[in-house]
Amino acid sequence: MERLAGSKVWAEYNAAQATRSVRPLCLDAMALAGPGNGRQAIDLGCGAGKETLALLIEGWRVHAIDSLPGTRERLLAIVPPAKDRFLYVDMRPFEDIRGLPEADLIFAGYSLPFIHPKDFGRIWRMMLDSLRPAGVIAVNLFGDRDSWADVAEWNFHTEAAARQLFDGLKILKLEVYDDDGQSFRGPKHWHIFDVIARKS
Ligand SMILES: C[S@@+](CC[C@H](N)C(=O)[O-])C[C@H]1O[C@@H](n2cnc3c(N)ncnc32)[C@H](O)[C@@H]1O
């Protein structure tokens, strides 16, 4: 990922995701939410669609959101024909969305940090508003010690601020990753919060 992500960077990033496994954070959230049974999930920033596909296979209806051109075609290419009627693809930027469907599971894998701080609060509230009682939300957030934390267009949180986002929800898991590592584009310091919470 370059410091200022654009379509080209996301296209390359998502192309490189084709062979990875479904993100454990999504699998954990699915286990905590229980069987899909036709219930509604949202995959916000669905990228290559790995988690969207996993949710569909487990019986969820999926509202997949990603503004990257070609997202609908990419998802339809990997979704079995019997499942495509359970998929709705919204290709608007998060910033243009004013309401989300009611959902029992919301997954946002490495997508929320790239929202401008001026828009983040409204989008976060919209997500929580759409979560049904007992619904599960699973997200990655970037921490203030991340090496990208000086990028003014992206949002970063102290651990206290990250926890505060879940006020009124029960945090089921909060894991902190604070270490040097690799990004898609080279070495960096990662400071990431993996959070799963349930609405009461
Ligand atoms: C780092 S990728 C993560 C993709 C996938 N969720 C994963 O875990 O691999 C971020 C994705 O969010 C999308 N995205 C980032 N900012 C967005 C925005 N403001 N509106 C809509 N999509 C956005 C990008 O197009 C990209 O596919």
Side-chain angles (χ1 to χ4, degrees):
M1 267 174 267
E2 278 163 359
R3 284 161 62 91
L4 293 175
S7 290
K8 184 167 175 289
V9 175
W10 293 137
E12 286 175 19
Y13 177 89
N14 289 330
Q17 303 298 304
T19 52
R20 72 159 165 81
S21 319
V22 177
R23 296 208 182 278
L25 186 67
C26 183
L27 293 175
D28 287 352
M30 288 164 69
L32 287 161
N37 285 341
R39 290 183 297 159
Q40 184 71 56
I42 296 172
D43 185 357
L44 190 125
C46 60
K50 287 243 133 175
E51 287 68 36
T52 291
L53 178 60
L55 288 159
L56 286 167
I57 288 170
E58 288 305 314
W60 291 88
R61 217 169 257 287
V62 184
H63 187 93
I65 310 170
D66 202 303
S67 60
L68 189 66
T71 293
R72 183 171 293 108
E73 291 72 19
R74 265 191 302 281
L75 293 195
L76 289 175
I78 59 168
V79 168
K83 289 287 182 189
D84 60 9
R85 68 195 172 96
F86 299 108
L87 172 67
Y88 180 84
V89 184
D90 185 344
M91 289 180 53
R92 286 176 295 171
F94 308 146
E95 294 77 0
D96 290 356
I97 299 174
R98 289 292 177 271
L100 293 168
E102 287 191 352
D104 294 292
L105 197 167
I106 300 178
F107 175 70
Y110 295 98
S111 54
L112 293 176
F114 305 105
I115 296 172
H116 196 290
K118 75 176 167 45
D119 297 310
F120 178 79
R122 185 190 65 76
I123 293 169
W124 181 252
R125 283 191 296 279
M126 178 173 72
M127 291 167 67
L128 293 189
D129 285 350
S130 79
L131 194 61
R132 289 203 179 102
V136 170
I137 181 165
V139 302
N140 306 110
L141 298 165
F142 283 174
D144 57 327
R145 289 193 293 278
D146 195 278
S147 36
W148 288 333
D150 60 345
V151 180
E153 290 81 3
W154 298 348
N155 66 86
F156 300 85
H157 303 270
T158 61
E159 183 169 339
R163 286 182 180 276
Q164 217 174 7
L165 290 173
F166 298 89
D167 277 357
L169 285 78
K170 180 169 187 207
I171 294 180
L172 305 174
K173 164 182 171 162
L174 192 152
E175 279 183 9
V176 185
Y177 184 80
D178 192 356
D179 210 347
D180 294 335
Q182 291 292 317
S183 83
F184 181 56
R185 290 294 170 116
K188 73 179 286 282
H189 187 84
W190 287 107
H191 188 204
I192 303 172
F193 305 115
D194 290 347
V195 193
I196 304 180
R198 193 189 293 280
K199 199 172 194 177
S200 29

